[in-house]
């Protein structure tokens, strides 16, 4: 359900149908991206939901109407016994947004969803650059350092101490071992 908050998975019919399918198959956690999708730029029409885009004119000014619509989806998952694993962004958004804007994004997500039974996923493929970058794939250590700082921020900001994870890259040596400078951050 990576696209679960966008209109690529229409709500309520398609979203609820897929959620029910996952329940019947025994799933308990659903990974869902909170506004910065892995396969598109921020204002790609595919990333909008019925209320619009997750961000305003600048990265990152949140559009509450987008998240109001997202609330319905996340509440549906929780009401049906599924735990949303909220992915804040894909790793390659870090160089575009920077650490401070990414922290602001996470502050918003924690404030909005922290009281729910969720799992945080700091980033998808946190150590992988943009797919079309010259020399792709390579291990971007600056990006890893920045995501490590954001993970510390998430850990320090979340008053409920939700499980924190990060989605590693599975390309060759770009494994989970290289996705953070502090392996104690993901987890507890």
């Amino acid at each position: 359900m990576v696209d679960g908050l966008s209109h690529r998975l229409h709500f309520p019919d398609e979203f609820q149908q897929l959620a029910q399918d996952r329940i019947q198959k025994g799933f308990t956690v659903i990974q869902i991206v909170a506004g910065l999708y892995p396969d598109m730029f921020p204002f790609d029409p595919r990333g909008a939901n019925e209320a619009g885009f997750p961000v305003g004119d600048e990265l990152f000014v949140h559009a509450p109407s987008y998240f109001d619509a997202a609330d319905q989806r996340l509440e549906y998952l929780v009401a049906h016994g599924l735990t949303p694993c909220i992915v804040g962004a894909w790793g390659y958004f870090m160089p575009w947004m920077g650490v401070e804007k990414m922290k602001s994004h996470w502050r918003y997500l924690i404030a909005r969803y922290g009281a729910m039974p969720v799992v945080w996923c700091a980033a998808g493929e946190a150590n992988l650059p943009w797919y079309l970058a010259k020399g792709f794939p390579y291990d971007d250590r600056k990006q890893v350092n920045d995501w490590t700082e954001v993970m510390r921020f998430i850990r320090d900001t979340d008053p409920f101490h939700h499980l924190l994870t990060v989605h590693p890259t599975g390309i060759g040596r770009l494994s989970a071992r290289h996705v953070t400078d502090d392996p104690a951050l993901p987890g507890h």
Side-chain angles (χ1 to χ4, degrees):
M1 294 185 105
V2 170
D3 304 355
L5 302 183
S6 76
H7 69 85
R8 289 199 288 187
L9 190 57
H10 295 114
F11 187 82
D13 53 337
E14 291 176 352
F15 184 91
Q16 291 176 356
Q17 180 182 7
L18 184 56
Q20 289 303 314
D21 174 76
R22 297 308 185 249
I23 291 167
Q24 290 170 0
K25 290 179 177 168
F27 285 71
T28 58
V29 178
I30 301 294
Q31 179 175 296
I32 198 158
V33 178
L36 296 173
Y37 294 98
D39 59 343
M40 64 184 84
F41 291 106
F43 297 102
D44 185 306
R46 298 172 296 162
N49 65 23
E50 62 273 10
F53 289 103
V55 295
D57 293 337
E58 294 183 36
L59 285 180
F60 204 82
V61 177
H62 292 90
S65 58
Y66 172 91
F67 288 94
D68 289 345
D71 292 351
Q72 295 174 30
R73 293 160 169 82
L74 295 171
E75 289 166 2
Y76 181 87
L77 295 176
V78 170
H80 289 83
L82 295 167
T83 300
C85 176
I86 298 176
V87 182
W90 230 243
Y92 61 74
F93 278 94
M94 182 60 78
W96 298 340
M97 290 178 62
V99 170
E100 292 312 309
K101 284 185 180 180
M102 195 59 73
K103 285 180 180 178
S104 175
H105 176 53
W106 269 104
R107 183 178 303 112
Y108 184 85
L109 295 176
I110 292 166
R112 187 144 193 152
Y113 302 117
M116 294 177 77
V118 298
V119 172
W120 306 128
C121 181
E125 299 180 351
N127 58 331
L128 194 67
W130 171 241
Y131 302 114
L132 301 178
K134 186 177 181 180
F136 177 88
Y138 61 88
D139 187 25
D140 188 332
R141 296 319 302 166
K142 167 85 170 98
Q143 193 166 301
V144 168
N145 294 336
D146 290 349
W147 277 113
T148 300
E149 184 177 339
V150 170
M151 284 189 280
R152 280 192 190 102
F153 174 82
I154 295 167
R155 176 67 57 227
D156 293 343
T157 304
D158 176 14
F160 298 98
H161 309 290
H162 292 291
L163 178 67
L164 171 63
T165 188
V166 63
H167 184 289
T169 301
I171 300 175
R173 64 180 178 74
L174 305 179
S175 71
R177 288 189 184 113
H178 305 288
V179 77
T180 178
D181 291 334
D182 184 352
L185 280 171
H188 40 293

